[in-house]
Amino acid sequence: MPAKRTIPTLDDVALAAGVSTATVSRCLNAPERVVKATRDRVLTVVQTLGYTPNFGARAMAARRTSTIGAIIPTMNNAIFARGLQAFQEQLHKRGYTLLVSSTSYRPELEEEQIRALIARGADGLLLIGYERDPAIYDYLATRDVPALIAWANERDRPEPAIGFDNRACMRALAQTVWDYGHRQIGVISATTKGNDRALRRVEGIRDTFLDRGLPPQNLSVVETPYSIKNGGAAFASLMATATPPTVVMCGNDVLAVGAIGRAQAMNLNIPEDVSITGFDDIELARIVMPPLTTVRVPHQKMGRRSADALIDMVETRTATRFAALKAKVKIRASLGKIATVADGKTAQD
Amino acid sequence: MPAKRTIPTLDDVALAAGVSTATVSRCLNAPERVVKATRDRVLTVVQTLGYTPNFGARAMAARRTSTIGAIIPTMNNAIFARGLQAFQEQLHKRGYTLLVSSTSYRPELEEEQIRALIARGADGLLLIGYERDPAIYDYLATRDVPALIAWANERDRPEPAIGFDNRACMRALAQTVWDYGHRQIGVISATTKGNDRALRRVEGIRDTFLDRGLPPQNLSVVETPYSIKNGGAAFASLMATATPPTVVMCGNDVLAVGAIGRAQAMNLNIPEDVSITGFDDIELARIVMPPLTTVRVPHQKMGRRSADALIDMVETRTATRFAALKAKVKIRASLGKIATVADGKTAQD
DNA sequence: TGTCCCCATGCAAGCGCTTACAACTCAACA
DNA sequence: TGTTGAGTTGTAAGCGCTTGCATGGGGACA
């Protein structure tokens, strides 16, 4: 009974099974190249000894790891969780492992994390959004590590990306809001610095309303880091002005949920007193009262496709451009209509 | 201008800087042991070449990784996110890196993940809850990898654990519910198979009510995987009985939020028609309407302490037992009082 | 029974890094 | 000027694994 204090290695297994290390290695990596009798004997020993191959050594010798790295802004809310889950399931199906790390929405940490993931042998990387120091793209290129961008897709950017067009999506929602008669608009955005997705969404809103002739002063935007609490605070500040908005469009559902909570605390009725919209359609959007009007993004599909695309990039060393995924405006009770009077001015009922 | 296709190694750096690999290695790992002039020269080359040390090679040579692995049931909701965040921040402060993986609440996947993390060189492991195949504990022992249990702490178990006593916590909440006059109890629990935390919580509820003489048939428990949706469905099934509960105690806040949503959809008033309680006190608990009565667990403290404890275990090769953390019953509007009549029977107002 | 080829297995050279130990330099002191 | 020792740098031996190539044993076929 070997109560060994020492961790078993390939050598130990080989010794105990009476074969060479090469054979043991083959039993583990290409079982069909080893005759059954030998294989069984080896695998029994592996079992008995509790042997687990050393990943670092393997990576070094084999020069690949079947590992994909992903760097996301946060694991703290459902925004990335759903897509990432699908991403990882698909990777798993294709024999890859996922390594995740998060920047806590501090873009300056991203480079370090990229290095760490690459040092750990990531064969490919999933990154969120386009905006980052060009040096990072250079680094990726010298290291020859394929990277795929997700959660965004802009037609005029050359990088391979699987995602949706944040600007266009938000434009579609804004169009609906316009059609519902809103002319006094509040916007709660995530901090746009270093976050192109957030910026594009705000642009989408601006596009729509200003193109249709809304006076700029009727559109006020506040920025705040993503969190329920911050959403509430931002909402309060927007409502505290002389001409409070009739609708508050939020950069994502998390902010919107915060806004709804705060509205209730302020005894405002939604949507009678003020309408609220979100973005993403996380589960919560259907749970809050009233249910949230938002943009439904195909997170699962995005995750799955990203996995396939990235693996292809890794295995074939090629990069392709992809079309943007479609998102859909989901109208729920948090958005109400405004009775429009004459020349674009509005009145509430 | 080296548009090298090849990834720079220590050798490349050494060559370019005109020093030995040993010196380069020292510049990176023990800069004070290299004279400034040399160090600067080396670091410049490192910069220029975009060199990043190969983690696997380093781990193999140095025989440690300063990496801690954590295996949690899911990343999909806030339950583990908060504690894990604190855990990782504290690790970072002390120079360690976190590797996370999740089992999606399928305990049978845990062993594989433990192996994977150990293969990747994890110096120590954070595991959630006690219940797992004893073979796993054996394996951990042979590999000589320290493991710390979190999110649970039972006095009579020998494993080092940092967490709270799920049973006692739930007992405290149940006591409050009892005091509020409830005598017809519904319970929505997570699947208890393979999940000792969930099981203990149910036991806590049973303890309290049955000890106080509640007829067993007045206490009905349904199990369902954690999710908002499932919480809603379970709630509906509990309410569909001949004598529906006056309070539904949920195994965690996520289930409770689902229950609240469903109650509203059923046009039930909370807490007039039915009270609902949760467990964890995630952010959502204060957002839902009405705010949720729950048990506030010190997730952050738990995360921080776990990091310190685990690092100590890794560095000193010792294990200690820890006292359970305290949790606190948080009473909010989702729990109402029942007007008690005579011998323990109840009536609603 | 002899020849050929295929298949299972072994041998051994690294993969990129750390680190014990050796070697050297040079300032300080006698 | 010789000796000493502290401080800096180099040498080289692995860490545990994969894999190209070499080897040898049979089965198939003539």
Side-chain angles (χ1 to χ4, degrees):
Chain A
M1 43 179 58
K4 348 186 55 174
R5 178 146 205 72
T6 141
I7 294 154
T9 69
L10 245 211
D11 280 302
D12 299 330
V13 177
L15 205 63
V19 297
S20 73
T21 59
T23 300
V24 179
S25 175
R26 282 187 204 106
C27 284
L28 267 23
N29 301 309
E32 74 284 357
R33 300 194 42 202
V34 178
V35 85
K36 185 160 187 326
T38 315
R39 197 193 323 148
D40 288 350
R41 188 153 38 95
V42 169
L43 292 182
T44 309
V45 174
V46 165
Q47 198 69 30
T48 319
L49 259 45
Y51 168 75
T52 309
N54 177 316
F55 181 84
R58 169 180 283 189
M60 204 155 65
R63 345 207 71 238
R64 41 179 222 87
T65 59
S66 297
T67 294
I68 296 289
I71 298 171
I72 57 174
T74 178
M75 318 207 193
N76 266 326
N77 61 44
I79 304 173
F80 297 103
R82 202 167 9 137
L84 207 62
Q85 179 69 25
F87 182 69
Q88 100 98 340
E89 279 167 14
Q90 187 65 14
L91 286 183
H92 186 80
K93 253 185 218 153
R94 299 192 53 179
Y96 279 72
T97 304
L98 176 63
L99 242 41
V100 197
S101 77
S102 91
T103 59
S104 314
Y105 279 109
R106 279 181 289 167
E108 72 276 13
L109 296 184
E110 197 184 30
E111 176 161 10
E112 182 191 329
Q113 313 226 27
I114 288 178
R115 283 177 180 271
L117 286 176
I118 290 183
R120 281 200 144 78
D123 292 335
L125 248 35
L126 186 80
L127 303 174
I128 308 300
Y130 287 96
E131 188 172 341
R132 53 183 53 84
D133 192 325
I136 294 188
Y137 286 114
D138 289 350
Y139 176 71
L140 254 21
T142 43
R143 299 291 307 219
D144 200 23
V145 174
L148 176 70
I149 285 160
W151 265 263
N153 186 298
E154 300 182 9
R155 188 170 310 165
D156 44 347
R157 303 239 2 188
E159 297 87 349
I162 294 205
F164 42 92
D165 183 329
N166 284 282
R167 187 169 184 165
C169 290
M170 199 51 126
R171 226 188 258 137
L173 177 59
Q175 176 65 53
T176 305
V177 170
W178 171 272
D179 292 344
Y180 273 45
H182 293 274
R183 297 296 180 267
Q184 194 73 43
I185 318 293
V187 176
I188 305 178
S189 168
T191 314
T192 52
K193 182 167 161 36
N195 183 339
D196 51 295
R197 287 97 56 216
L199 181 60
R200 295 283 171 268
R201 290 179 197 173
V202 174
E203 287 175 354
I205 295 175
R206 285 222 166 83
D207 287 355
T208 306
F209 288 103
L210 303 186
D211 284 3
R212 279 159 191 66
L214 189 82
Q217 66 272 22
N218 284 23
L219 178 64
S220 50
V221 179
V222 305
E223 290 192 6
T224 182
Y226 279 147
S227 88
I228 292 186
K229 205 165 130 196
N230 288 343
F235 176 80
S237 81
L238 280 173
M239 298 307 286
T241 54
T243 52
T246 61
V247 62
V248 172
M249 300 187 67
C250 301
N252 74 7
D253 288 352
V254 172
L255 291 173
V257 167
I260 289 182
R262 187 58 170 259
Q264 285 168 338
M266 293 165 73
N267 276 320
L268 293 172
N269 290 319
I270 305 171
E272 294 78 7
D273 300 326
V274 61
S275 288
I276 293 178
T277 69
F279 196 104
D280 281 336
D281 198 20
I282 59 177
E283 190 171 28
L284 211 45
R286 261 165 302 184
I287 301 299
V288 289
M289 287 303 287
L292 188 62
T293 291
T294 186
V295 178
R296 176 164 186 76
V297 169
H299 282 120
Q300 320 238 31
K301 184 192 277 186
M302 183 168 65
R304 240 178 297 122
R305 288 224 191 144
S306 297
D308 284 332
L310 195 45
I311 291 176
D312 290 349
M313 288 167 70
V314 166
E315 292 182 350
T316 68
R317 319 303 302 175
T318 60
T320 334
R321 293 229 49 237
F322 302 91
L325 299 172
K326 299 269 179 293
K328 212 164 49 202
V329 173
K330 279 282 184 194
I331 299 178
R332 303 205 183 90
S334 75
L335 176 63
K337 294 199 175 166
I338 298 280
T340 312
V341 300
D343 59 354
K345 295 220 178 70
T346 67
Q348 291 193 238
D349 48 3
Chain B
M1 41 181 60
K4 347 187 55 174
R5 179 146 203 73
T6 141
I7 293 153
T9 70
L10 244 211
D11 280 303
D12 298 330
V13 177
L15 204 64
V19 298
S20 73
T21 59
T23 300
V24 179
S25 174
R26 279 192 223 54
C27 284
L28 267 25
N29 300 311
E32 75 284 357
R33 298 194 44 204
V34 177
V35 86
K36 186 164 188 323
T38 316
R39 198 195 321 150
D40 288 348
R41 188 153 38 95
V42 169
L43 293 181
T44 310
V45 175
V46 165
Q47 198 69 31
T48 318
L49 260 46
Y51 168 75
T52 309
N54 177 316
F55 181 84
R58 170 180 282 189
M60 205 155 67
R63 346 207 71 236
R64 42 180 224 87
T65 59
S66 297
T67 294
I68 296 288
I71 297 172
I72 57 173
T74 179
M75 317 208 194
N76 265 325
N77 61 45
I79 304 174
F80 297 103
R82 200 164 13 133
L84 207 62
Q85 179 68 25
F87 182 68
Q88 100 97 340
E89 279 167 14
Q90 187 65 14
L91 286 184
H92 186 79
K93 249 185 221 154
R94 298 191 53 178
Y96 280 72
T97 303
L98 175 63
L99 242 43
V100 197
S101 77
S102 90
T103 60
S104 313
Y105 279 109
R106 278 181 289 167
E108 72 276 14
L109 296 183
E110 197 184 31
E111 177 163 10
E112 181 191 330
Q113 314 226 26
I114 288 179
R115 282 177 181 272
L117 287 175
I118 290 183
R120 282 198 142 80
D123 293 335
L125 247 36
L126 185 80
L127 303 174
I128 307 300
Y130 287 96
E131 188 172 343
R132 52 184 53 83
D133 191 327
I136 293 188
Y137 286 114
D138 290 350
Y139 176 72
L140 254 21
T142 43
R143 298 293 305 222
D144 200 23
V145 175
L148 175 70
I149 285 160
W151 265 264
N153 187 297
E154 299 181 9
R155 189 169 309 164
D156 44 348
R157 304 239 3 188
E159 297 87 349
I162 293 204
F164 41 93
D165 184 329
N166 283 282
R167 187 167 183 166
C169 290
M170 200 50 127
R171 224 187 261 139
L173 177 59
Q175 177 63 56
T176 304
V177 170
W178 171 271
D179 292 344
Y180 273 44
H182 293 275
R183 298 297 181 268
Q184 194 75 42
I185 317 293
V187 176
I188 306 178
S189 168
T191 314
T192 51
K193 184 169 160 36
N195 182 340
D196 51 294
R197 286 97 56 217
L199 181 60
R200 295 284 171 268
R201 291 179 197 173
V202 175
E203 287 174 354
I205 295 175
R206 285 221 166 86
D207 287 356
T208 306
F209 289 104
L210 303 186
D211 284 2
R212 280 159 190 65
L214 189 82
Q217 67 272 21
N218 284 22
L219 178 63
S220 50
V221 179
V222 303
E223 290 192 8
T224 182
Y226 279 148
S227 87
I228 293 186
K229 205 165 128 196
N230 288 343
F235 176 82
S237 81
L238 280 173
M239 298 307 286
T241 55
T243 53
T246 62
V247 61
V248 173
M249 300 187 68
C250 302
N252 73 7
D253 288 352
V254 172
L255 291 173
V257 167
I260 289 181
R262 187 57 170 262
Q264 284 168 337
M266 294 165 72
N267 276 319
L268 294 172
N269 291 319
I270 306 172
E272 294 78 7
D273 299 326
V274 60
S275 288
I276 293 178
T277 69
F279 195 104
D280 281 335
D281 199 21
I282 59 177
E283 189 171 29
L284 211 45
R286 260 164 303 183
I287 301 298
V288 289
M289 288 301 289
L292 188 60
T293 291
T294 186
V295 177
R296 174 162 188 77
V297 169
H299 282 120
Q300 321 239 32
K301 184 192 277 185
M302 184 168 64
R304 239 177 299 122
R305 288 225 190 142
S306 298
D308 284 332
L310 194 45
I311 291 176
D312 290 349
M313 288 167 70
V314 166
E315 292 182 351
T316 69
R317 318 303 303 174
T318 60
T320 333
R321 294 232 46 237
F322 303 91
L325 298 173
K326 298 269 179 294
K328 210 162 54 198
V329 173
K330 279 282 183 193
I331 299 178
R332 303 206 184 88
S334 74
L335 176 64
K337 294 199 173 165
I338 299 279
T340 311
V341 299
D343 59 354
K345 297 218 179 72
T346 66
Q348 291 191 238
D349 47 2

